Amino acid sequence: MMNELFTKYIQGRCNPAEKAEILDKLGSSAPSGDLLYSLKKHWHETHGIEVDETVDFDSVLNKIHHSVNLLEEEEKKSHYTLLHRFYSWSRIAAAVVVILMASVGVWYSGHTGMFQKEVFYTVSSVRGQSSNVELPDGSQVWLNGESSIVYSSRYGFRNRNIDLDGEGFFEVAKKSGSPFVVKAGKVEVTALGTRFNVDAYSDNKPLKVTLEEGRVKVSHCDEDIEMEPGMQVIIAGDGMKLKKVDTQLFTSWHSGKLIFKDELLHSITHQLGKIYDVEFSFETDDLKNFRYRGSVSLDNSILKALEMLRFSTGIKYEIKGNEILLKK
């Protein structure tokens, strides 16, 4: 019965009551034997491996429990709803599945050597949402809307390599002799223990690496630049440029706030569009070059953000469905 229910959960066919039952069992400090059997059976069936009754899945489940508890604590801290932007139970359920499969895969490959082939895991956030994930080594990653990371079953054992598409803020756990490497296209950012942001959206704008704490090395086209806190590297074409910046203008989004300092309205609406899942248009092109100084709290709705903009600048707006027209 439990095996059938767990299979339904993995396939996304559970009703609310069944989902609640699975989450309750996953979060239990003393998991039942049938759940342990279901986890083991599902893992072996997924990867075409014959069931080995000697495999100790208790240690794997302990790691899963730890991750579930972390997610539950984050859920308790998040009381606001921004178009359901941050942690809802449905996202926790999805994250549990990602953690379950990734944790079992990494543990199994590292301790049994049974995998002959490298396995890759993807964590994504859709447009209008941000997400946070803890990697197997304890490093934290915040993904902005429409962003994703990919890492392998060898992460933490043979390397700490991450592929990024979109924008991510990284808080890297220190691990002697094992550099943390973020790859975004042809650009590599290498760190040992630090806090930095990589803006690598593929929309024809320069890629930006902003360092908040620690030291990182940015590599591109056979050129390396070592960064210090408060610096930003801008990569356009084959060239890189280093400059000093106010880092909170580029990293504050991961903590629920956008800060602007004489920012072009076109750039501001680009960021708001990703976060709130809306499309902006302008009545006249000269509005795009309007500059704005202020901040937007992401626990507010898009209407509150637009009202703040109208009050500060006099710019008016019209809303039609998912589209917002800005005009004088």
Side-chain angles (χ1 to χ4, degrees), residues 90-117:
S90 62
R91 286 182 203 125
I92 288 180
V96 168
V97 174
V98 172
I99 292 167
L100 168 65
M101 300 311 295
S103 298
V104 174
V106 171
W107 178 87
Y108 209 75
S109 62
H111 286 76
T112 70
M114 185 168 287
F115 284 139
Q116 299 299 317
K117 198 172 182 180

Side-chain angles (χ1 to χ4, degrees), residues 265 280-283 287 306-307 309-311 313-319 324-328:
L265 188 58
F280 283 92
S281 60
F282 298 85
E283 185 180 47
L287 275 176
L306 290 171
E307 278 298 305
L309 185 65
R310 184 186 65 81
F311 180 79
T313 65
I315 293 176
K316 298 179 181 179
Y317 62 88
E318 288 183 4
I319 301 177
I324 299 173
L325 172 66
L326 298 182
K327 57 185 184 179
K328 295 181 180 179

